[in-house]
Amino acid sequence: MNEMTMTEPEQKTKDSRGEFMASLTPKQIVEELDKFIVGQNNAKRAVAIALRNRWRRQQLPDSLRDEVGPKNILMIGPTGVGKTEIARRLAKLSKSPFIKVEASKYTEVGYVGRDVESMVRDLVELSKGMVKEEMEVEVREKARDQAIERLLDLLLPPPPGHAGKTGFDSDPNGKQHYDQTREKFKQMLRDGKLDEREVDVDVAEKRTPMIDVVSGAGMEEMGSNIKDMLGSLMPGKTKKRKLKVPEAFKALCQEEAEKLLDEDTVVQEAINRVQQNGIIFIDEIDKIIGRSGQGSSGPDVSREGVQRDLLPIVEGSSVNTKYGIVKTDHILFVSAGAFHSAKPADLIPEFQGRFPIRVELDSLTKEDFIKILTEPKNALVKQYTALLKAEEVHITFKEDAIDQIAEMSAQVNQRTENIGARRLQTIMEKFLEDISFDAPDLEEKNIEIDAAYIQEKLKDIIQDEDLSRYIL
């Protein structure tokens, strides 16, 4: 959208995002990721450079800007080492539209199932929600003022025969008395003295046409469009609901905010964000490698066919959505896979070439587990301590307890399937099971957990390899 035609909320939002992105250097991005993810420095550096390159591209002249494409990333590593978390935290940090999809959920065009273009349509919907939320913040104060006035009209309607702008022209004393009473009510409303009062509010009734469209190639978007078209043909209905004042105020604020926003502006900005800053994380990419040499025959509709369908989207194409055409040329694609039974070279050559940056993530060691348990902002020990604190149970983990959890997790990962950091949660859930269950009824509210306590709770399971396979 041209700068001259931008609305004020949209311009403010764009300016603040531009300043924020300019302040994020690759080192700062890595430092922010370090707060939540342990290790994997190579992967963090790769995504930090990719994100910074987006800002650099925005500084280029128009003639060159469109020629610079995103450097898509392929992450290779076992499950539970932080592949998804790195991409998710990156999107949150950059405030970019982000969607995580599983490659194995899609099928080749021409077969029943989800076509790959639906990931772009889903990203546009998410982006629209983000933009709408941001723009609503800009108009929130005005919407609140208008909602208060509407609520006062419901709580204190004008006397019969005095409604409307000219209703009090013949009775100035009556108008003065009404205005004074209205001001008193406004103050009572702000002080929360009217929270128990109920009012009748007209709420828009959302109606979805009861229609189903037969699935098939490209039918998903067509079905959505038909429902929207029929929904717009049906007259909007309102439903009178009796709500308490706080609930009525919330509903009226939402309604007034939507009136103040221009839908076309929201959609245009959402599409622009997807095209310039969108991130699509394709997980389980190794699951769409064909079963070559495994004696399979017939069409492999969710494997190499999906790679061929993904190729034009990753290369850059135009996808038709309910809000218009979306170009994928500058969307950043991050794909990830464990590649246990296949290798990246088994992907079709054209698809490999579209992911020039390859990063191998390391398996997690006992030392990494200790850091994961204690260092990040969302560390597991902090989470469980906070959860039980809600029951007024104060648990303390001694150093030897942390060491024991890490040791057991590494041991079980080595002996059974390696599921990375997810094993920590399994172990902790198991030995905290009794405390979590009895927490509301415990007399002793201060509990200290040491290595001996954990060994006592898990000794039978750890020693029995078959049992640990099923329980841990």
Side-chain angles (χ1 to χ4, degrees):
M1 183 180 283
N2 193 297
E3 294 276 344
M4 297 296 289
T5 59
M6 281 189 180
T7 61
E8 193 176 340
E10 185 184 2
Q11 184 62 54
K12 281 183 183 175
T13 304
K14 184 173 181 179
D15 290 345
S16 62
R17 288 189 77 256
E19 290 168 11
F20 177 73
M21 288 295 289
S23 68
L24 281 177
T25 64
K27 280 185 180 177
Q28 287 173 324
I29 293 167
V30 171
E31 284 170 10
E32 286 297 318
L33 292 174
D34 282 340
K35 292 176 183 177
F36 299 96
I37 301 149
V38 169
Q40 314 303 357
N41 288 325
N42 290 338
K44 288 174 185 173
R45 285 171 64 92
V47 296
I49 293 167
L51 188 62
R52 186 63 176 181
N53 279 339
R54 298 192 131 194
W55 176 81
R56 290 168 181 158
R57 178 181 160 271
Q58 296 295 335
Q59 313 312 308
L60 298 176
D62 292 345
S63 57
L64 187 58
R65 189 184 301 162
D66 289 339
E67 301 301 321
V68 179
K71 306 299 184 283
N72 298 325
I73 301 167
L74 175 62
M75 292 186 185
I76 305 157
T79 185
V81 296
K83 300 189 295 292
T84 308
E85 190 67 8
I86 287 172
R88 192 170 67 85
R89 291 290 172 185
L90 183 75
K92 200 169 185 180
L93 179 64
S94 64
K95 300 178 182 175
S96 300
F98 171 81
I99 190 169
K100 174 187 177 288
V101 298
E102 306 242 342
S104 53
K105 284 187 177 178
Y106 297 96
T107 53
E108 189 178 347
V109 168
Y111 293 86
V112 174
R114 297 205 78 188
D115 65 287
V116 293
E117 288 186 352
S118 63
M119 66 177 71
V120 180
R121 293 193 282 268
D122 292 342
L123 186 62
V124 173
E125 289 287 352
L126 285 169
S127 179
K128 187 189 171 194
M130 283 176 64
V131 172
K132 196 171 182 181
E133 197 173 308
E134 285 175 22
M135 289 188 176
E136 279 178 355
V137 171
E138 300 288 341
V139 299
R140 185 173 291 163
E141 285 305 313
K142 193 173 180 181
R144 282 172 63 88
D145 291 341
Q146 293 180 1
I148 286 172
E149 294 303 319
R150 283 185 61 187
L151 195 52
L152 287 170
D153 288 338
L154 295 170
L155 288 164
L156 188 69
H162 291 80
K165 289 182 180 178
T166 61
F168 284 102
D169 286 355
S170 59
D171 187 8
N173 290 332
K175 184 179 188 309
Q176 186 181 0
H177 178 68
Y178 176 76
D179 288 344
Q180 288 173 350
T181 310
R182 193 178 174 93
E183 280 302 315
K184 287 178 184 174
F185 265 72
K186 187 184 284 190
Q187 191 57 48
M188 290 169 70
L189 189 63
R190 285 175 175 157
D191 293 341
K193 293 177 181 177
L194 301 175
D195 285 359
E196 295 304 313
R197 291 275 293 271
E198 290 187 337
V199 290
D200 290 325
V201 182
D202 290 326
V203 181
E205 192 175 6
K206 291 183 181 178
R207 297 183 63 190
T208 305
M210 299 299 290
I211 173 174
D212 198 9
V213 180
V214 178
S215 297
M219 295 299 285
E220 186 179 353
E221 177 68 9
M222 190 186 295
S224 176
N225 287 339
I226 290 172
K227 288 182 180 181
D228 286 341
M229 183 184 70
L230 292 177
S232 62
L233 288 174
M234 294 179 181
K237 287 191 175 183
T238 56
K239 183 180 178 184
K240 200 172 282 290
R241 292 181 60 194
K242 192 176 281 293
L243 300 172
K244 286 195 172 182
V245 166
E247 293 170 3
F249 179 63
K250 190 176 177 182
L252 292 172
C253 277
Q254 183 67 34
E255 203 173 305
E256 291 300 322
E258 287 182 5
K259 285 180 187 176
L260 291 168
L261 294 180
D262 178 24
E263 183 72 11
D264 292 338
T265 303
V266 173
V267 168
Q268 188 60 42
E269 175 63 12
I271 289 175
N272 185 56
R273 283 203 196 175
V274 167
Q275 292 181 152
Q276 302 302 326
N277 301 306
I279 300 174
I280 295 181
F281 182 83
I282 308 173
D283 205 2
E284 309 288 1
I285 200 76
D286 54 322
K287 303 297 188 293
I288 58 170
I289 293 175
R291 301 185 184 92
S292 55
Q294 294 182 24
S296 62
S297 60
D300 223 349
V301 299
S302 62
R303 290 178 179 262
E304 282 192 10
V306 177
Q307 288 184 59
R308 288 191 293 272
D309 290 344
L310 275 170
L311 191 58
I313 293 178
V314 179
E315 283 179 338
S317 61
S318 297
V319 176
N320 189 26
T321 72
K322 65 197 275 189
Y323 303 111
I325 300 294
V326 175
K327 293 182 178 179
T328 65
D329 303 64
H330 299 289
I331 293 176
L332 176 66
F333 288 87
V334 181
S335 62
F339 291 95
H340 287 309
S341 56
K343 52 189 183 295
D346 293 330
L347 292 161
I348 61 174
E350 300 90 340
F351 193 76
Q352 289 181 52
R354 286 295 160 184
F355 290 87
I357 301 174
R358 296 191 185 182
V359 184
E360 191 162 350
L361 284 83
D362 306 316
S363 293
L364 298 173
T365 62
K366 176 189 170 183
E367 288 69 32
D368 291 326
F369 286 150
I370 291 171
K371 290 178 183 176
I372 289 167
L373 284 167
T374 55
E375 290 183 6
K377 276 189 174 182
N378 59 340
L380 280 174
V381 166
K382 295 174 187 174
Q383 289 182 34
Y384 280 99
T385 304
L387 279 171
L388 287 166
K389 202 172 180 181
E391 301 272 10
E392 296 184 0
V393 174
H394 303 276
I395 57 170
T396 309
F397 289 86
K398 294 184 76 174
E399 276 191 33
D400 64 341
I402 302 290
D403 191 85
Q404 186 66 40
I405 297 167
E407 175 67 39
M408 283 185 169
S409 298
Q411 188 181 336
V412 176
N413 271 349
Q414 194 172 6
R415 283 166 46 189
T416 60
E417 192 71 33
N418 186 357
I419 61 170
R422 294 188 178 96
R423 185 73 69 189
L424 294 170
Q425 203 153 2
T426 311
I427 297 270
M428 290 188 75
E429 280 290 338
K430 195 64 192 169
F431 74 74
L432 286 173
E433 186 176 33
D434 291 341
I435 296 174
S436 294
F437 187 83
D438 297 325
D441 309 312
L442 285 174
E443 291 182 9
E444 177 54 53
K445 296 291 186 179
N446 295 310
I447 300 171
E448 193 174 72
I449 292 174
D450 55 13
Y453 177 88
I454 296 169
Q455 288 168 351
E456 178 64 30
K457 291 289 180 183
L458 299 179
K459 63 180 180 182
D460 295 335
I461 299 169
I462 292 291
Q463 288 169 5
D464 191 329
E465 189 170 334
D466 290 332
L467 199 58
S468 63
R469 283 181 182 275
Y470 289 99
I471 295 178
L472 298 179

